[in-house]
Amino acid sequence: MNPIVISDRVTTAIQLGESHFREFKSALSGPPGNKTKRTVKEIAVDIGRTLVAFANADGGELLIGVEDSGAITGLPGFSETEINGLLAAPDTQIHMDTPMSMVKRTSLIIEGKSVIYFSVSKSTDFVHLTSDGRCLQRRDLESIPVASEAIKFDRQEAKSRSYDREFVDGATMADLDWTLVQAVADQIIRGMSPEKCLQYLE
């Protein structure tokens, strides 16, 4: 992606603020006026957990070096090696059995300060886990623990609903197995007509 496009995207994300699709993480800790660098390991764990939660939900963007308020504090005192370590977090902090190939990542300068940008799409290949085996999902402004089976069920249910309502070009009423439709109708209400059953099931 073009650096100018990413820069505009990051600026817009900061203006919009945190949401179901956006998370900001500070690279600093401590009280105002006396903040110190967080460890690379600690931030990398945060990156892994947040990206897993986004991928297991609807996708999202993560900015490192931005406070919850949207203030850009950057990565002061972080070496190039440390920044590269943070950029590698989608590889090191995601479980090896649920790799995340759809992550975009880059470091850039916003308002004179270093910021790291990640974006991840909604996953359909895996239910992703962190490197320590945690399954998380984004809900509103939080990344919460959730059973992987619940995510699989929700995805399967969505596919099923989509399949059931899919139109098939060239299909006619004559293509239906009316005995089978009647059997389904009888399971809903005994004596329901096949036509009424199809209307009921949309």
Side-chain angles (χ1 to χ4, degrees):
M1 188 181 284
N2 186 302
I4 295 173
V5 172
I6 294 178
S7 180
D8 287 345
R9 189 176 185 92
V10 170
T11 302
T12 300
I14 292 170
Q15 290 171 349
L16 291 171
E18 291 188 307
S19 73
H20 177 70
F21 300 99
R22 277 179 304 282
E23 176 82 8
F24 303 154
K25 292 287 184 189
S26 178
L28 307 172
S29 63
N34 193 28
K35 289 187 176 291
T36 57
K37 279 175 58 178
R38 296 173 65 204
T39 67
V40 170
K41 175 66 175 174
E42 184 183 6
I43 300 170
V45 167
D46 280 349
I47 293 168
R49 289 177 179 173
T50 303
L51 293 179
V52 161
F54 278 142
N56 286 338
D58 301 303
E61 299 173 304
L62 170 62
L63 294 171
I64 307 298
V66 180
E67 305 298 312
D68 291 344
S69 65
I72 302 169
T73 48
L75 294 98
F78 282 76
S79 68
E80 184 178 346
T81 300
E82 288 174 318
I83 289 173
N84 287 337
L86 295 177
L87 287 166
D91 305 315
T92 61
Q93 299 300 316
I94 308 297
H95 198 284
M96 66 176 66
D97 292 337
T98 65
M100 204 174 277
S101 60
M102 63 289 194
V103 178
K104 293 176 183 163
R105 59 190 115 179
T106 190
S107 62
L108 66 161
I109 304 297
I110 301 290
E111 296 181 8
K113 295 174 181 172
S114 293
V115 171
I116 298 177
Y117 170 81
F118 295 95
S119 73
V120 64
S121 305
K122 178 177 183 174
S123 179
T124 55
D125 296 329
F126 296 103
V127 174
H128 293 279
L129 304 175
T130 61
S131 57
D132 60 357
R134 297 185 69 189
C135 183
L136 303 163
Q137 188 177 48
R138 185 74 170 182
R139 299 216 181 138
D140 295 324
L141 297 175
E142 295 184 296
S143 299
I144 64 168
V146 63
S148 60
E149 289 304 315
I151 296 174
K152 289 177 185 174
F153 177 82
D154 287 346
R155 288 180 183 174
Q156 194 57 44
E157 185 64 20
K159 284 182 185 176
S160 176
R161 283 195 299 270
S162 175
Y163 178 81
D164 289 346
R165 286 160 177 74
E166 198 172 71
F167 286 96
V168 180
D169 286 338
T172 68
M173 296 296 276
D175 294 313
L176 293 173
D177 182 334
W178 288 101
T179 304
L180 186 57
V181 176
Q182 185 63 65
V184 172
D186 286 338
Q187 287 181 6
I188 298 170
I189 298 175
R190 183 156 293 282
M192 176 185 276
S193 71
E195 293 83 359
K196 185 76 172 177
C197 173
L198 292 173
Q199 290 173 359
Y200 177 77
L201 295 175
E202 298 181 349

